[in-house]
Amino acid sequence: MPIRRKPSPAALAPLPDPTEDSRDWRLSAACIGLPEHAVLGTDRTAALPALAACEHCPIIAPCLAIVDPEHTWFDGVSGGRLWRNGREVTVRSGIDTPEEQS
């Protein structure tokens, strides 16, 4: 069983108020302003708005690197992918299933 690491503080910190003058990388995220359940949920249907936003997001690589879903057992959308317990969720016959890990 993998050792569970604590998520990085950057991954857990609440998003800053977009009206504040900040250089926070998350302010460039295409998903900013989406409901929390769309970004941090494990249900694919609820995550569709966040996944669609990822398609034109300028910070996909930093999002994936900082959230580090595989090592933080992240649940939600990061880097254009949906994660459940740190495993990428794929869709097979309309059912959300974690990918098989080798």
Side-chain angles (χ1 to χ4, degrees):
M1 176 171 235
I3 296 173
R4 202 172 196 170
R5 277 186 4 190
K6 288 185 178 182
S8 69
L12 294 177
L15 286 174
D17 182 345
T19 60
E20 291 179 12
D21 182 22
S22 172
R23 297 180 191 271
D24 192 309
W25 64 271
R26 294 170 294 180
L27 291 177
S28 299
C31 64
I32 196 162
L34 290 177
E36 189 173 301
H37 70 271
V39 179
L40 299 176
T42 58
D43 177 71
R44 187 175 195 284
T45 302
L48 285 176
L51 291 169
C54 289
E55 291 180 15
H56 58 84
C57 186
I59 61 162
I60 285 181
C63 177
L64 192 58
I66 291 170
V67 173
D68 194 16
E70 290 178 341
H71 296 103
T72 60
W73 291 31
F74 178 75
D75 286 339
V77 176
S78 177
R81 301 181 218 162
L82 179 60
W83 301 88
R84 185 178 298 140
N85 294 324
R87 296 176 71 191
E88 188 174 349
V89 174
T90 58
V91 178
R92 294 188 187 123
S93 304
I95 300 171
D96 293 347
T97 56
E99 280 189 339
E100 296 298 321
Q101 290 185 337
S102 359

